Amino acid sequence: MPRRTSSTAAVTGVLTAVALTLGGASVAEGAVGAVGAVGAATSVRVPNHATLKISGRGFGHGHGMSQYGAQGAARQGLSAKQIVAFYFPHTRAGKAGGKVKVLISADTDNSTTVLTAPGLKVVDLGNGSSHPVPTAGAVGKATRWRLSPAGGGRTTVAYRTAAWHTWRTLAGDGEFLASRPLTLVVGSGHVTYRGILQSRTPVGGPATRRITVNKVSLEAYVQGVIPREMPASWLPAALRAQAIAARTYASFEARSSSNPLVNLCDTSACQVYGGKSAEFSTTNAATAKTVGVIRTFHGAPAFTQFSASNGGWMAKGSQPYLVAKKDTFDPWSGNPYRSWTTNVTAAGVEKAFPSIGNLTSISVTSRDGHGLLGGRVLTMKLVGSKGTVTPSGDTFRSALGLRSTWFVVAVAG
């Protein structure tokens, strides 16, 4: 998981909840002593061809705001301001604006193609010249326009009627802007974005390589984030809290970025962004009701991480305001991630960690000490016929696709 991941998984992908039980004892009742369970510093022998039952809490890294917790708090009547103050203690309200530059990760064909739109212009980023596209004649019948590398750092501008035709060559990279949102062609689909769509040569990349970047106002960006990170049907206070967290996170990243072309991505490695195509009236209203509002620490935008669910306890993060503390808002009845159980075969563990050979025992050697069972797993020990590895809880979680590092392990059956 990247260091700055804000949302390990968007909470819109709701899975069926299961009761978290281990050895007949519920984790909510305290199952540290359950027979065969890996507690804070215990070991379980693993027979050949065994299946491991892994039971846990939460979904994501658990730093900062729990999205299900925000909804739980809103259900109890808390305002957005109260919600973000709870999840980001020691921060203060502040203001931010301006524009952000977002990498459109799905556009990988080294060109930027848009549908014809009213007022469409092409700007040459090499010399600053602006070129409105023709609206009359054969060119005026174009349905699509494309920016692609022409060699020597230049850009070819082409339009499509029955076939593609070159219109002009730009001195440098190029961008599209229009009087209304632009529709980007991505593979066989279309996504509409507010702001400007740029075709840029990546820093350090070859002249033949191009990326597509959406340069957009911070508010329009937030409008495209909230519904991809939180169900649009949730309570207004939760949606507004998500708007504040998303806006703050984007401001932090823009301030911290050293890349002159891009300061955010559109995936969960940053926070998920879907442009105008993702927008809903409810989430746009949440953006409007919180316009410009962020959380600050020592006068600068805070690193407002969030994840789907913390399982009832926030995890300590990299900043003073990313604290470890109990969260009574997260484990409400509608949260499918407050507890979970999954089965993993010993063969699956062996495949993830091939140097151990046949897995013979598995241990949790340290936890963070916060919450039931001693909290989230920090370090583990896997012993096999060929050797031993000591992965971190994060490494084990990532390798096996677990929802969080707050888990216990038992041999199933």
Side-chain angles (χ1 to χ4, degrees), residues 115-203:
L115 302 185
T116 299
L120 183 64
K121 295 180 181 180
V122 177
V123 176
D124 188 333
L125 297 176
N127 59 28
S129 59
S130 179
H131 309 278
V133 305
T135 58
V139 185
K141 297 179 181 179
T143 57
R144 299 183 180 191
W145 288 82
R146 182 177 69 191
L147 301 173
S148 56
R154 298 173 301 163
T155 299
T156 296
V157 184
Y159 64 92
R160 183 175 180 83
T161 51
W164 283 104
H165 309 276
T166 297
W167 183 53
R168 66 173 62 236
T169 300
L170 307 181
D173 291 355
E175 67 181 23
F176 289 119
L177 67 158
S179 56
R180 70 182 190 189
L182 289 163
T183 298
L184 179 70
V185 178
V186 184
S188 59
H190 301 156
V191 182
T192 301
Y193 294 94
R194 299 182 186 274
I196 295 168
L197 288 172
Q198 300 179 322
S199 174
R200 302 308 305 259
T201 305
V203 176

Side-chain angles (χ1 to χ4, degrees), residues 2-392:
R3 179 177 66 87
R4 294 190 174 183
T5 297
S6 62
S7 56
T8 304
V11 300
T12 50
V14 177
L15 302 179
T16 303
V18 293
L20 200 168
T21 57
L22 186 60
S26 167
V27 168
E29 298 168 347
V32 176
V35 176
V38 178
T42 57
S43 178
V44 164
R45 294 186 63 185
V46 181
N48 288 335
H49 311 297
T51 296
L52 302 176
K53 180 180 180 181
I54 303 179
S55 302
R57 302 181 69 86
F59 193 170
H61 48 59
H63 302 315
M65 190 179 78
S66 160
Q67 293 168 302
Y68 270 94
Q71 173 71 347
R75 285 165 53 87
Q76 294 187 33
L78 272 70
S79 67
K81 182 178 180 180
Q82 291 171 319
I83 293 170
V84 293
F86 172 79
Y87 284 111
F88 306 108
H90 316 306
T91 65
R92 295 183 176 182
K95 286 284 187 176
K99 297 183 182 296
V100 293
K101 293 170 284 188
V102 189
L103 173 67
I104 306 304
S105 59
D107 197 2
T108 59
D109 63 357
N110 288 324
S111 66
T112 300
T113 305
V114 300
L115 302 185
T116 299
L120 183 64
K121 295 180 181 180
V122 177
V123 176
D124 188 333
L125 297 176
N127 59 28
S129 59
S130 179
H131 309 278
V133 305
T135 58
V139 185
K141 297 179 181 179
T143 57
R144 299 183 180 191
W145 288 82
R146 182 177 69 191
L147 301 173
S148 56
R154 298 173 301 163
T155 299
T156 296
V157 184
Y159 64 92
R160 183 175 180 83
T161 51
W164 283 104
H165 309 276
T166 297
W167 183 53
R168 66 173 62 236
T169 300
L170 307 181
D173 291 355
E175 67 181 23
F176 289 119
L177 67 158
S179 56
R180 70 182 190 189
L182 289 163
T183 298
L184 179 70
V185 178
V186 184
S188 59
H190 301 156
V191 182
T192 301
Y193 294 94
R194 299 182 186 274
I196 295 168
L197 288 172
Q198 300 179 322
S199 174
R200 302 308 305 259
T201 305
V203 176
T208 55
R209 174 85 171 94
R210 289 296 175 91
I211 57 175
T212 296
V213 177
N214 182 203
K215 186 176 181 181
V216 64
S217 73
L218 180 58
E219 296 307 307
Y221 168 76
V222 172
Q223 289 179 182
V225 168
I226 307 173
R228 287 296 178 90
E229 289 288 0
M230 183 175 279
S233 61
W234 276 10
L235 293 173
L239 297 177
R240 293 172 191 177
Q242 181 68 72
I244 295 169
R247 186 182 295 110
T248 308
Y249 181 88
S251 300
F252 177 92
E253 291 293 282
R255 181 185 177 96
S256 304
S257 175
S258 60
N259 188 328
L261 306 182
V262 174
N263 44 47
L264 287 162
C265 62
D266 61 354
T267 70
S268 61
C270 299
Q271 48 190 3
V272 185
Y273 169 64
K276 185 180 184 300
S277 292
E279 294 177 13
F280 281 82
S281 60
T282 52
T283 53
N284 282 0
T287 304
K289 287 291 186 180
T290 62
V291 61
V293 177
I294 64 169
R295 300 301 294 182
T296 67
F297 184 71
H298 291 170
F303 181 33
T304 48
Q305 286 183 291
F306 53 87
S307 59
S309 170
N310 60 34
W313 203 282
M314 296 158 60
K316 180 175 174 56
S318 61
Q319 303 293 335
Y321 44 83
L322 298 176
V323 301
K325 69 175 181 178
K326 188 174 183 178
D327 180 3
T328 59
F329 302 120
D330 179 272
W332 59 285
S333 60
N335 180 358
Y337 307 128
R338 58 182 176 157
S339 61
W340 49 265
T341 299
T342 189
N343 289 334
V344 175
T345 64
V349 178
E350 293 158 1
K351 182 178 180 180
F353 301 93
S355 65
I356 65 173
N358 293 324
L359 179 66
T360 58
S361 72
I362 184 168
S363 309
V364 169
T365 52
S366 65
R367 294 179 179 270
D368 67 7
H370 301 298
L372 297 169
L373 306 168
R376 292 173 172 81
V377 174
L378 298 179
T379 57
M380 302 183 70
K381 183 178 181 180
L382 311 180
V383 179
S385 60
K386 295 182 179 179
T388 298
V389 296
T390 55
S392 67

